[in-house]
Amino acid sequence: MCVNFKPLTLTQLQQLQLPAIDFEYSDEVYPMGNCPLLFQSERELEWRNVMFGLVPKWATDVTVAKHTYNARQETLLQKPSFQASILKCKFGVIPVTEFYESKYIDDQPQR
């Protein structure tokens, strides 16, 4: 499961002939950071500025997103954080160029 990622570059966006992103975003995104999400509204694609991590409606604090930013396909229906979205088929696409998952060497996280 990735811990952080790099979103598409503007050059890649143009090469894929995707709509322009009209807001700024970081070169590297961590949980609770803002990132571009590709969303289909009616008949066209649009970008939305979203937080990396899910905040369930029952949550009282947005920092829960630090623990709900990733899911395994085989357990989606078992996790209360993801259940409502998966049952309503609410999905989005966050295109990435690189993603990182820490490997621990001598008890220190390494890329």
Side-chain angles (χ1 to χ4, degrees):
M1 294 193 284
C2 80
V3 175
N4 61 303
F5 64 89
K6 290 187 177 186
L8 286 177
T9 63
L10 293 178
T11 302
Q12 292 167 325
L13 191 73
Q14 292 168 344
Q15 290 171 340
L16 293 169
Q17 298 178 351
L18 292 171
I21 298 175
D22 61 354
F23 53 86
E24 291 190 24
Y25 58 94
S26 298
D27 292 338
E28 196 161 338
V29 180
Y30 294 86
M32 294 188 60
N34 288 342
C35 63
L37 172 105
L38 191 57
F39 180 81
Q40 185 168 359
S41 65
E42 296 183 23
R43 296 181 186 207
E44 61 184 32
L45 295 173
E46 69 179 53
W47 291 100
R48 293 189 180 176
N49 192 8
V50 299
M51 181 177 66
F52 177 35
L54 175 71
V55 180
K57 65 180 178 182
W58 47 262
T60 57
D61 186 5
V62 295
T63 59
V64 72
K66 290 180 181 178
H67 306 287
T68 57
Y69 62 86
N70 215 336
R72 291 187 175 160
Q73 182 272 332
E74 59 270 12
T75 60
L76 278 175
L77 289 171
Q78 299 167 6
K79 305 290 183 181
S81 301
F82 300 103
Q83 235 172 25
S85 296
I86 196 78
L87 290 173
K88 293 178 184 176
C89 295
K90 288 190 172 185
F91 304 101
V93 176
I94 300 176
V96 304
T97 58
E98 301 174 29
F99 67 91
Y100 302 103
E101 191 172 339
S102 296
K103 177 180 181 179
Y104 285 84
I105 300 172
D106 297 326
D107 294 325
Q108 298 294 316
Q110 305 291 322
R111 286 191 170 180

